């Protein structure tokens, strides 16, 4: 069950306050941190809520779910893929998403570029890195970053906007926070190095979710991907 719009608006305002507080603490401008509403598992109306609140985009982690839901939404809002993408779904993803944040291999870059070319469009992408060295997480290894970046920058039908990561969970909240701090600092450093070396801005750093968004903003995040804090828990239990 989707919460009401009023409840959503209260929650979204509270997340905005949280982002603003983290920005104030870090000496950053809150306008430099975008709130991406993660609508996965929720009905298409969740995207309508996000649009009505004035958000620019929603995030989905499965291609097919977005393909099914997008036509049901009347909202003028961008849809971004934040979940793992298999190369055999690259064409579908290029067709139905406005940006793909989860590009983690050369093979995927090749497939997406070819698909975008066939569609006659330029597809914005982020490169996803396993910056926390989490064995359970997708994302390219930071050691492969130079090569991946080089390939991405050669693609005429892809526009590389920046980098994305997901922090690994720990056994305790303290350990999870430690992982988050380390992971986000790693991605930031990687971005700064790659940007300096290639002269490409790589402006976007997509990092931070409901549980770790303040830590991500402190580390320089420009896109926080928030689901639970906006829509409640995804398993139907009270948030
Ligand atoms: C589900 C998901 C999120 C949102 O997680 P919450 O903890 O609900 O805010 C963010 N990023 C990715 C990649 C996700 O799959």
């Amino acid at each position: 069950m989707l919460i009401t719009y009023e409840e959503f608006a209260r929650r979204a305002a509270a997340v905005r306050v949280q982002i603003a507080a983290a920005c104030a603490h870090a000496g950053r401008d809150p306008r430099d941190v975008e709130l991406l509403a993660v609508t996965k598992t929720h009905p298409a109306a969740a995207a309508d809520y996000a649009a009505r609140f004035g958000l620019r985009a929603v995030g989905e982690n499965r291609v097919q779910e977005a393909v099914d839901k997008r036509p049901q939404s009347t909202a003028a809002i961008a849809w971004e893929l934040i979940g793992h993408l298999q190369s055999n779904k690259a064409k579908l993803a290029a067709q139905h998403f406005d940006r793909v944040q989860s590009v983690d291999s050369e093979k995927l870059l090749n497939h997406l570029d070819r698909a975008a070319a066939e569609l006659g469009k330029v597809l914005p992408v982020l490169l996803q890195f396993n910056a926390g060295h989490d064995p359970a997480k997708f994302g390219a290894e930071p050691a492969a970053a130079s090569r991946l970046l080089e390939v991405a920058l050669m693609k005429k039908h892809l526009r590389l906007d920046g980098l994305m990561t997901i922090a690994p969970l720990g056994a305790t909240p303290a350990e999870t926070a430690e992982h988050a701090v380390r992971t986000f600092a790693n991605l930031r450093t990687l971005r700064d190095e790659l940007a300096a070396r290639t002269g490409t801005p790589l402006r976007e750093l997509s990092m931070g979710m409901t549980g770790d968004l303040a830590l991500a903003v402190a580390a320089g995040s420009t896109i926080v991907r928030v689901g639970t804090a906006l829509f409640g828990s995804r398993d139907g239990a009270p948030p």
Side-chain angles (χ1 to χ4, degrees):
M1 263 281 281
L2 188 62
I3 57 175
T4 63
Y5 176 73
E6 288 65 33
E7 173 67 11
F8 169 80
R10 265 193 300 277
R11 284 167 168 267
V15 173
R16 280 247 167 98
V17 166
Q18 214 187 330
I19 292 170
C23 282
H25 201 253
R28 300 186 56 199
D29 184 336
R31 284 171 302 189
D32 293 339
V33 182
E34 176 177 4
L35 173 57
L36 180 81
V38 177
T39 48
K40 66 185 183 199
T41 78
H42 297 295
D48 299 341
Y49 285 7
R52 186 170 160 196
F53 192 78
L55 302 184
R56 186 193 60 83
V58 295
E60 285 281 334
N61 72 333
R62 292 174 57 238
V63 176
Q64 194 55 49
E65 185 178 339
V67 170
D68 293 341
K69 288 196 308 196
R70 195 167 182 174
Q72 299 167 32
S73 169
T74 52
I77 197 161
W79 290 60
E80 304 204 0
L81 182 63
I82 59 173
H84 181 65
L85 177 61
Q86 285 169 326
S87 23
N88 62 2
K89 297 231 176 89
K91 179 96 191 269
L92 205 56
Q95 218 172 335
H96 292 275
F97 286 96
D98 301 292
R99 183 157 67 182
V100 176
Q101 294 203 5
S102 44
V103 181
D104 61 359
S105 71
E106 206 173 315
K107 188 176 172 190
L108 204 46
L109 284 168
N110 293 336
H111 279 75
L112 286 171
D113 184 57
R114 202 176 313 138
E118 282 171 20
L119 294 162
K121 70 193 244 184
V122 173
L123 180 70
V125 297
L126 304 187
L127 293 176
Q128 180 180 358
F129 286 102
N130 186 359
H133 305 290
D134 182 353
K137 283 282 182 307
F138 291 108
E141 288 309 313
S146 288
R147 170 74 189 154
L148 213 50
L149 191 83
E150 208 176 282
V151 173
L153 291 176
M154 285 183 330
K155 300 299 187 194
K156 289 196 168 55
H157 295 273
L158 302 181
R159 186 190 79 200
L160 181 58
D161 288 347
L163 311 184
M164 183 270 225
T165 198
I166 306 172
L169 287 175
T172 62
E175 200 181 286
T176 296
E178 272 171 42
H179 287 332
V181 167
R182 178 173 52 83
T183 303
F184 299 154
N186 286 347
L187 195 73
R188 166 70 184 265
T189 302
L190 184 63
R191 192 278 305 272
D192 291 351
E193 281 171 12
L194 293 171
R197 186 141 30 95
T198 62
T200 311
L202 299 173
R203 189 188 175 277
E204 307 298 349
L205 277 178
S206 174
M207 52 190 199
M209 326 199 316
T210 292
D212 55 20
L213 73 88
L215 295 173
V217 168
S221 172
T222 62
I223 303 172
V224 289
R225 310 176 306 263
V226 180
T228 307
L230 293 177
F231 299 105
S233 79
R234 282 178 292 271
D235 57 15

